[in-house]
Amino acid sequence: MIMVKNLTKSYGDIEVLKDISTSIAPQEVVCIIGSSGSGKSTFLRCLNLLEEPTSGDILIEEKNIIDKSTNINKLRQQMGMVFQQFNLFPQKKVIENITLAPIKLKKKSKKEAETQALELLEKVGLSEKADAYPSNLSGGQQQRVAIARALAMEPHVMLFDEPTSALDPEMVGEVLRVMKQLAKEGMTMVIVTHEMGFAREVADRVIYIDGGRIVEEGSPRELFANPTHERTKAFLSKVL
Amino acid sequence: MGTTLDVIKDAFPYLLQGLYMTVLISVVSIIISLVIGLIACFMRMSKYTILRYPAAIYVNIIRGTPILIQILFIYFGAPSVLDIHLSAFTAGLIAISLNIGAYNTEIFRGGIESISKGQMEAGRSLGFTYSQTMAYIVLPQAVRRMIPSFVNQLTHAIKDTSMLSVIGIAELTMVGQSIYAMNFKSFEILTMVALMYFITIYTVSLISTRLERRFVIS
Ligand SMILES: Nc1ncnc2c1ncn2[C@@H]1O[C@H](COP(=O)(O)OP(=O)(O)O)[C@@H](O)[C@H]1O
Ligand SMILES: [Mg+2]
């Protein structure tokens, strides 16, 4: 589904991603862990070209997205993204947040888009908030709306960048529950997270990134129980 | 020679006509300057040097020279070289629009930059192009915040139009000058002129404050 080959990314002289190669299978749930500043967000953002890779190749469903001929906007429609800061559109109601892209980009009728949005809101447990404005929702609710907004484009992959890091502890659970449900339904997901319990339970594979490199990857059982690299051990002993 | 009251009564209808001209030029040039500002703003934010530089030069020239020189330049200077003729009204409109447009460029830029980068990224990640994200998501939020500033620009435009008296446009200041040139009642007439400016500008700034409360604080 996603194939990354020798990906590097530099800001000026500073190389923040170094020769990253990995692949993600359809329906796989991959969690990316690592300390702050290690390059996790940059990696995730390269996958939908919010950051432009410096070198290397990224193939999404066999298409090399580095190719100048790739329609990046079409590509992004197939890759939902959820941000740490939610980034809902504050001047639009919850339902408008969700229907905007399907109406404008998929040319859905307003009615069709709204029916779909209501289904998605039900799925994330927020049916009664359709007409609320984002500023009247809690962080956990906003993040669930953000997930619904991304799902409305019917993406093939969902990218999550620390979706629960900006939340009060009591709201983390409700967001993770939605993500767990998505995973169960077979959505392909790449999740940058500090929630080790979640990674252990939901991930098919965990990737540990440090200093812009993949240090170690494996099933959560292997990686959490028997990390082979010293750096992984050191990191895990701090967060577990 | 009549009493002060007569002076006021005689002058008032003419001054009102002058005020009309002042407001007309101000409002029309504000509208033109919004278009100029929006275009120049996107040029300034463009990744292409060929667009960015002319816009930056325009903004800096306008901000770095007196408006009086700009007016004289457009009415006398430019036509003499370009071999065109501009009416005083057209030249005045162009001068004020270009002047306010430069300031609007910076207002637009500041407004757009005040919208968090996350909004652009959220739009792009859904598959919107840069322009679509600007049009559907960023600009509506930015313009909301900018409305009070634009209304405030109207007060500047009203004051700036008084400079147009130098090229003979019959706006409020010019009309005042011609009246006291004939009746020598400069104190009375200039007091009236100042009052009329004050009331107009004060009203506009009241509106601006109201809008600020409504759009910026909420
Ligand atoms: N736009 C940028 N310009 C310069 N350096 C950046 C930029 N974005 C990220 N970095 C640097 O790249 C490194 C990796 O950042 P990031 O991917 O955000 O890390 P993580 O998500 O793992 O915390 C950090 O050292 C950060 O300072
Ligand atoms: Mg990060």
Side-chain angles (χ1 to χ4, degrees):
Chain A
M1 169 120 232
I2 301 179
M3 180 97 91
V4 180
K5 289 184 195 157
N6 311 109
L7 169 69
T8 70
K9 168 71 184 175
S10 303
Y11 292 109
D13 291 340
I14 306 162
E15 196 172 50
V16 297
L17 291 182
K18 298 164 187 150
D19 195 27
I20 295 216
S21 297
T22 189
S23 64
I24 291 150
Q27 310 213 328
E28 196 178 14
V29 176
V30 174
C31 282
I32 299 174
I33 60 172
S35 45
S36 156
S38 57
K40 306 181 297 296
S41 298
T42 309
F43 172 68
L44 195 71
R45 294 157 59 85
C46 280
L47 296 182
N48 67 352
L49 297 190
L50 277 186
E51 300 292 344
E52 198 180 332
T54 305
S55 68
D57 290 303
I58 300 174
L59 280 76
I60 309 274
E61 297 177 325
E62 263 103 67
K63 246 213 224 110
N64 194 341
I65 64 171
I66 310 294
D67 229 321
K68 286 277 176 270
S69 64
T70 307
N71 182 338
I72 163 121
N73 300 307
K74 272 273 178 305
L75 167 92
R76 288 192 183 124
Q77 293 182 23
Q78 293 154 27
M79 307 180 77
M81 188 163 207
V82 174
F83 302 87
Q84 184 174 345
Q85 299 299 339
F86 331 132
N87 297 340
L88 293 180
F89 309 135
Q91 83 282 22
K92 294 189 186 299
K93 289 178 180 173
V94 162
I95 189 146
E96 296 166 337
N97 264 274
I98 302 175
T99 56
L100 181 70
I103 290 173
K104 301 285 185 193
L105 297 173
K106 289 203 148 172
K107 307 291 173 210
K108 286 200 177 176
S109 71
K110 186 159 181 257
K111 191 141 172 275
E112 213 179 337
E114 283 181 348
T115 311
Q116 181 205 23
L118 290 172
E119 281 167 20
L120 286 168
L121 279 174
E122 181 159 357
K123 186 182 177 119
V124 301
L126 290 170
S127 303
E128 77 284 11
K129 297 291 184 191
D131 290 320
Y133 282 92
S135 56
N136 296 326
L137 301 184
S138 72
Q141 292 171 330
Q142 289 191 49
Q143 193 61 299
R144 285 184 282 152
V145 172
I147 294 173
R149 178 178 70 181
L151 290 175
M153 289 303 285
E154 291 153 5
H156 304 179
V157 191
M158 285 285 284
L159 310 175
F160 294 84
D161 192 357
E162 300 199 26
T164 58
S165 294
L167 299 178
D168 292 334
E170 72 269 19
M171 293 171 190
V172 170
E174 62 195 55
V175 173
L176 293 182
R177 216 160 17 239
V178 169
M179 292 168 63
K180 224 178 280 179
Q181 181 60 30
L182 264 184
K184 222 191 273 166
E185 290 167 9
M187 175 63 78
T188 311
M189 297 161 79
V190 186
I191 306 162
V192 174
T193 187
H194 292 297
E195 296 291 333
M196 297 302 154
F198 174 83
R200 196 192 299 240
E201 186 184 346
V202 181
D204 297 308
R205 187 152 47 101
V206 176
I207 298 180
Y208 171 60
I209 293 188
D210 189 46
R213 278 182 211 284
I214 294 184
V215 175
E216 190 164 350
E217 56 183 309
S219 76
R221 218 153 23 99
E222 289 163 11
L223 196 110
F224 286 124
N226 298 306
T228 51
H229 286 73
E230 284 309 317
R231 279 190 290 173
T232 322
K233 282 180 198 165
F235 173 74
L236 289 175
S237 72
K238 268 186 289 176
V239 297
L240 285 181
Chain B
M1 283 275 157
T3 63
T4 304
L5 201 63
D6 288 331
V7 171
I8 293 174
K9 256 202 278 189
D10 291 345
F12 192 67
Y14 296 103
L15 291 177
L16 211 53
Q17 263 182 2
L19 181 64
Y20 171 75
M21 182 57 99
T22 290
V23 171
L24 176 72
I25 294 181
S26 303
V27 170
V28 173
S29 58
I30 275 288
I31 293 166
I32 300 173
S33 73
L34 283 176
V35 178
I36 297 176
L38 189 61
I39 294 169
C41 161
F42 280 111
M43 287 172 68
R44 275 209 92 165
M45 298 194 322
S46 161
K47 57 183 172 189
Y48 303 109
T49 320
I50 195 170
L51 294 175
R52 228 169 38 230
Y53 273 38
I57 290 169
Y58 156 63
V59 169
N60 284 310
I61 286 181
I62 296 289
R63 294 210 298 191
T65 55
I67 187 165
L68 188 52
I69 299 301
Q70 294 162 19
I71 293 166
L72 293 174
F73 196 86
I74 286 169
Y75 187 50
F76 297 114
S80 75
V81 187
L82 300 174
D83 198 26
I84 48 171
H85 176 78
L86 292 179
S87 72
F89 182 81
T90 311
L93 212 53
I94 294 174
I96 304 286
S97 302
L98 282 177
N99 182 276
I100 305 282
Y103 293 93
N104 283 350
T105 305
E106 298 302 281
I107 293 176
F108 270 117
R109 194 161 69 127
I112 288 171
E113 283 173 357
S114 80
I115 303 301
S116 86
K117 239 179 98 227
Q119 293 290 308
M120 177 53 81
E121 290 184 345
R124 296 306 304 270
S125 76
L126 286 168
F128 287 112
T129 63
Y130 175 85
S131 326
Q132 286 172 325
T133 312
M134 268 296 163
Y136 299 142
I137 297 158
V138 177
L139 268 182
Q141 291 179 58
V143 166
R144 235 181 115 82
R145 290 191 196 182
M146 290 184 278
I147 284 172
S149 306
F150 290 136
V151 175
N152 197 39
Q153 286 298 86
L154 186 54
T155 65
H156 291 290
I158 292 168
K159 285 188 253 190
D160 290 345
T161 52
S162 84
M163 299 281 185
L164 296 178
S165 56
V166 299
I167 57 172
I169 293 181
E171 45 64 60
L172 185 52
T173 304
M174 177 78 208
V175 172
Q177 283 172 337
S178 7
I179 295 175
Y180 69 71
M182 289 188 300
N183 67 5
F184 306 109
K185 300 283 185 190
S186 55
F187 178 78
E188 290 84 344
I189 299 298
L190 284 173
T191 305
M192 287 178 77
V193 167
L195 260 177
M196 289 168 85
Y197 273 120
F198 179 78
I199 291 167
T200 313
I201 289 169
Y202 191 71
T203 310
V204 172
S205 53
L206 271 187
I207 295 172
S208 164
T209 315
R210 275 276 176 80
L211 292 171
E212 198 157 320
R213 246 179 257 145
R214 172 133 164 246
F215 288 123
V216 178
I217 299 175
S218 70

